[in-house]
Amino acid sequence: MSNKIRLGIVGYGNLGKGAEKAIRQTPDMELVAVFTRRDPASLVLDQTGVKALHISAASDYQNEIDVMLLCGGSATDLPEQTPHFASMFHTVDSYDTHAKIPEFYQSVNEAATKHDKTAIISVGWDPGLFSINRVMADAILPNGENYTFWGKGLSQGHSDAVRRVDGVKNGVQYTIPSEPAIEKVRDGNNPELATSEKHRRVCYVVAEEQADPAAIEKEIKTMPHYFADYETEVHFITEEELKQNHSKAPHGGFVIRGGNTGEGNKQIYEFSLQLDSNPEFTASVVVAYARAAYRLSQEKQFGAKTVYDVTLGHLSPRSGEELRRDFL
Amino acid sequence: MSNKIRLGIVGYGNLGKGAEKAIRQTPDMELVAVFTRRDPASLVLDQTGVKALHISAASDYQNEIDVMLLCGGSATDLPEQTPHFASMFHTVDSYDTHAKIPEFYQSVNEAATKHDKTAIISVGWDPGLFSINRVMADAILPNGENYTFWGKGLSQGHSDAVRRVDGVKNGVQYTIPSEPAIEKVRDGNNPELATSEKHRRVCYVVAEEQADPAAIEKEIKTMPHYFADYETEVHFITEEELKQNHSKAPHGGFVIRGGNTGEGNKQIYEFSLQLDSNPEFTASVVVAYARAAYRLSQEKQFGAKTVYDVTLGHLSPRSGEELRRDFL
């Protein structure tokens, strides 16, 4: 019998694939099976010894899998899947619809509590590591202001909007944090900043052969909600350039708090990520929290949990003794 | 009866004074008394209603104080004081002699466990917030390397060394992280860097009237351990300039981890602080962890604890519901 924590993955998109890769980097965990809604035979897994199974077979694996990683999307998959799987497994998900987290928490908490399962929700970098830093900074510097900047990063929603414009064959959109805005925040002046002042938008567009670039540029730049309020750049490139230079999914961002202590001493707290691969990093966070979910379950801490309920002692593969000696 | 967490402070140096100021910014905590080895009548406290008492009177206040903040030094005060006070109060300290933390932990743990007290040790920013980020980054990106840079900051030990040089009337030393070294780390190349390559040292010196600046500069730059291995600058200034421009205690630094996921995707994790006042910030962290110590004690989690044993739910003044709704 293995002493490793035994994991399953539900959903084999970018996040599920990232989770498979991340598990291979963690010696204390192992992947048992990947569950999919597609034909399992169509899945090409990275690893031998891992089963590809239809999602309907998951319930048969309650004795073989300790923690299930739910790698579906937040729009429609997770609101259904997390409560469902949290009645059979300890789970981790990356639910990221910020506005709906309270109701999501409640429905997962009901299912998990009822079945003595531990379900850590909304894990990743935002929500996730960024959330941790917003709360840490707020607890330490009560007299201050939090700022979150996103980017430089590929935005899926804005790329989709660009691709819907008439005459656009293909395209991507990067959200880029505004350097002057970041500098103001780092100076500790706690400025008032609209979201549109905090970010600018850069589009790389492949136009159809007959299309009018000026018309495309105008339609993008004046698109309400998505671009109209932002400083926006549009660059026209070839399909080859798009493929060569814009096929990764980089992302990242900053959480900065400017606080004051004593008689106006400025204290600047900053956390940032610069990621070559957004899904692989998110998956790495999810996998680390699977360890925490397992340990919380061993302590009978059941129900829905968030990153606010997890200690670093639960998260790290290292012993308390090693952490105190080598990391404190 | 107040619902606030009732705090005491032991030691009224820079850290104790910073703690007094930080408590005034936290509505859910209140300061009851400051204990000192000096004549209590000599203490000029910021706040009315707070008692200044001799340290020997502390044992009489076990019913009036929930958590005692131990604001003494790590060299000789805390190794004695923390075990002593942890047998009477829940405590927080900022013990920062990294190499001796395991034995310190053990002696505090014995005292606290025996008397059902919660004692959170080694709280501040390093050890403290930096320790948290070293472990978090290590747990999420197992395939990578941690780097810690200190500064720009006033170093007490190095300033003392400068002031001991013949012909030096007064002076300060700043430790400054090397920008080229930081850039290498941010590029994700996980370079091998000696401590001397990671930092440079800048001294501001007030010379005695008769002294030879060239001789002073040479003696500083060739001083073993302190300066010889480092890129060092020496600037001569007047006593007035020293007072005007170098009387604060700024500090800060960076924890950066460059990690790899999947097929060589670089993921850069970075945490940084830029502090106008090192002691006031450290004190703000200590005060926040007093809330956690109190809550852990309510859950009967007794013994010595570190930042690795505390959740953000324990640390934040906000409810779980508020955190999930507004911060996640």
Side-chain angles (χ1 to χ4, degrees):
Chain A
M1 195 183 132
S2 162
N3 283 321
K4 296 187 179 192
I5 301 172
R6 303 164 304 169
L7 305 179
I9 291 174
V10 175
Y12 200 63
N14 287 335
L15 187 62
K17 287 174 189 167
E20 186 187 14
K21 293 189 173 87
I23 295 165
R24 292 173 68 172
Q25 293 192 348
T26 54
D28 62 331
M29 298 194 258
E30 65 183 352
L31 180 58
V32 173
V34 175
F35 299 91
T36 178
R37 280 176 301 209
R38 291 178 271 169
D39 173 8
S42 72
L43 260 52
V44 182
L45 300 187
D46 254 14
Q47 254 170 303
T48 53
V50 175
K51 290 178 179 133
L53 298 165
H54 192 261
I55 194 166
S56 59
S59 55
D60 300 336
Y61 282 79
Q62 294 181 55
N63 292 325
E64 277 77 49
I65 290 172
D66 297 311
V67 183
M68 196 69 101
L69 311 182
L70 305 177
C71 297
S74 293
T76 55
D77 298 337
L78 295 175
E80 299 268 320
Q81 288 179 352
T82 307
H84 174 67
F85 283 98
S87 68
M88 299 187 283
F89 300 94
H90 311 303
T91 64
V92 182
D93 69 49
S94 65
Y95 184 78
D96 68 358
T97 309
H98 292 263
K100 293 186 176 172
I101 285 174
E103 57 181 287
F104 181 74
Y105 171 86
Q106 207 165 359
S107 92
V108 175
N109 192 44
E110 254 169 55
T113 306
K114 192 171 166 190
H115 298 274
D116 284 358
K117 301 299 175 203
T118 304
I120 309 184
I121 65 163
S122 298
V123 162
W125 60 273
D126 195 357
L129 301 187
F130 276 23
S131 323
I132 285 172
N133 281 284
R134 286 188 286 258
V135 169
M136 177 66 89
D138 172 71
I140 289 168
L141 297 169
N143 186 5
E145 203 71 56
N146 280 352
Y147 296 84
T148 301
F149 294 87
W150 294 279
K152 180 189 171 178
L154 190 84
S155 159
Q156 214 50 67
H158 285 77
S159 297
D160 287 345
V162 165
R163 288 189 288 258
R164 282 194 300 265
V165 168
D166 252 7
V168 170
K169 196 175 163 197
N170 209 340
V172 294
Q173 192 263 192
Y174 295 98
T175 303
I176 298 179
S178 154
E179 271 301 327
I182 291 185
E183 285 315 314
K184 270 189 213 166
V185 171
R186 279 193 187 136
D187 284 347
N189 298 322
N190 292 346
E192 293 221 16
L193 293 169
T195 303
S196 60
E197 291 174 277
K198 284 162 65 188
H199 301 94
R200 57 195 184 87
R201 304 197 172 280
V202 178
C203 310
Y204 293 90
V205 175
V206 182
E208 307 274 8
E209 229 165 271
Q210 315 298 343
D212 171 12
I216 291 174
E217 180 166 347
K218 193 181 166 195
E219 191 174 336
I220 291 175
K221 287 186 167 176
T222 56
M223 197 186 296
H225 309 304
Y226 284 90
F227 295 100
D229 299 335
Y230 293 83
E231 187 192 324
T232 301
E233 285 173 32
V234 178
H235 302 280
F236 290 92
I237 60 174
T238 65
E239 187 81 53
E240 289 69 41
E241 288 173 309
L242 186 82
K243 204 168 170 183
Q244 195 160 6
N245 303 327
H246 304 284
S247 61
K248 283 199 176 189
H251 220 310
F254 304 78
V255 172
I256 309 178
R257 187 178 184 87
N260 283 286
T261 62
E263 276 79 49
N265 282 313
K266 285 181 193 169
Q267 317 278 21
I268 310 297
Y269 174 115
E270 178 167 339
F271 177 75
S272 68
L273 294 170
Q274 187 192 314
L275 309 173
D276 267 5
S277 167
N278 181 1
E280 283 182 13
F281 186 80
T282 301
S284 299
V285 184
V286 165
V287 168
Y289 276 86
R291 182 184 295 117
Y294 179 73
R295 290 175 177 174
L296 289 175
S297 76
Q298 297 289 97
E299 297 173 4
K300 301 193 187 306
Q301 294 201 44
F302 301 129
K305 305 288 173 191
T306 72
V307 292
Y308 303 135
D309 302 306
V310 174
T311 68
L312 283 156
H314 284 121
L315 195 69
S316 173
R318 302 178 193 275
S319 70
E321 207 175 343
E322 185 179 1
L323 291 179
R324 288 188 296 272
R325 188 188 63 219
D326 298 338
F327 286 80
L328 201 62
Chain B
M1 195 185 134
S2 163
N3 283 322
K4 296 186 179 192
I5 302 172
R6 301 164 307 168
L7 304 179
I9 290 174
V10 175
Y12 200 62
N14 287 335
L15 187 62
K17 287 174 188 167
E20 186 187 13
K21 292 189 174 85
I23 295 165
R24 293 173 68 172
Q25 293 192 349
T26 54
D28 61 332
M29 298 195 258
E30 66 184 351
L31 180 59
V32 173
V34 175
F35 300 92
T36 178
R37 280 174 302 209
R38 291 178 270 169
D39 174 8
S42 72
L43 260 51
V44 182
L45 300 188
D46 254 16
Q47 256 169 304
T48 53
V50 175
K51 290 176 179 137
L53 298 165
H54 191 262
I55 194 168
S56 58
S59 55
D60 299 336
Y61 282 79
Q62 295 180 56
N63 291 325
E64 277 77 49
I65 289 172
D66 297 310
V67 183
M68 196 68 102
L69 311 183
L70 305 177
C71 297
S74 295
T76 55
D77 297 337
L78 296 175
E80 299 268 321
Q81 288 179 356
T82 306
H84 174 68
F85 282 98
S87 68
M88 298 186 284
F89 300 93
H90 310 302
T91 64
V92 182
D93 70 49
S94 64
Y95 184 78
D96 67 358
T97 310
H98 291 261
K100 294 187 177 171
I101 285 174
E103 58 182 286
F104 182 73
Y105 172 86
Q106 206 165 1
S107 92
V108 175
N109 192 43
E110 254 170 53
T113 305
K114 191 172 166 187
H115 298 274
D116 284 357
K117 302 297 176 203
T118 304
I120 308 185
I121 66 163
S122 298
V123 162
W125 59 274
D126 196 357
L129 301 189
F130 276 24
S131 323
I132 285 172
N133 281 283
R134 286 189 284 260
V135 169
M136 178 64 89
D138 172 70
I140 290 169
L141 296 169
N143 185 6
E145 203 70 58
N146 280 352
Y147 296 84
T148 301
F149 294 87
W150 295 279
K152 178 190 174 177
L154 191 85
S155 159
Q156 214 51 64
H158 284 78
S159 297
D160 288 346
V162 165
R163 287 188 289 258
R164 282 193 300 265
V165 168
D166 253 8
V168 170
K169 196 175 162 195
N170 208 340
V172 293
Q173 192 264 190
Y174 296 97
T175 304
I176 298 179
S178 154
E179 272 299 328
I182 290 185
E183 286 314 315
K184 270 188 213 167
V185 171
R186 280 192 187 137
D187 285 346
N189 298 321
N190 293 346
E192 291 223 16
L193 292 169
T195 304
S196 59
E197 291 174 276
K198 283 161 64 186
H199 301 93
R200 57 195 183 87
R201 305 197 170 282
V202 178
C203 309
Y204 293 91
V205 174
V206 182
E208 307 273 9
E209 227 164 275
Q210 315 297 342
D212 171 11
I216 291 175
E217 181 165 347
K218 191 180 167 198
E219 192 174 335
I220 292 174
K221 287 186 168 177
T222 58
M223 197 184 297
H225 308 303
Y226 284 90
F227 295 100
D229 298 335
Y230 293 83
E231 188 192 323
T232 302
E233 285 173 30
V234 178
H235 302 280
F236 290 92
I237 60 173
T238 65
E239 188 82 52
E240 289 68 42
E241 288 172 310
L242 186 81
K243 204 168 169 182
Q244 197 161 5
N245 303 327
H246 304 285
S247 60
K248 283 199 174 187
H251 220 308
F254 304 78
V255 172
I256 309 178
R257 186 177 185 88
N260 284 286
T261 61
E263 277 80 50
N265 281 314
K266 285 181 191 170
Q267 317 278 22
I268 310 297
Y269 174 115
E270 178 167 340
F271 177 76
S272 68
L273 294 170
Q274 186 192 316
L275 310 172
D276 267 6
S277 167
N278 180 1
E280 282 181 12
F281 186 81
T282 300
S284 299
V285 184
V286 165
V287 169
Y289 276 86
R291 182 183 297 118
Y294 179 73
R295 291 176 176 174
L296 289 175
S297 77
Q298 298 288 98
E299 297 172 4
K300 302 193 188 305
Q301 295 201 42
F302 301 129
K305 305 288 173 191
T306 72
V307 292
Y308 302 136
D309 303 307
V310 174
T311 67
L312 283 156
H314 284 122
L315 195 70
S316 172
R318 303 179 195 273
S319 70
E321 206 176 344
E322 185 178 0
L323 292 179
R324 288 189 296 272
R325 188 189 62 220
D326 297 339
F327 287 79
L328 200 59

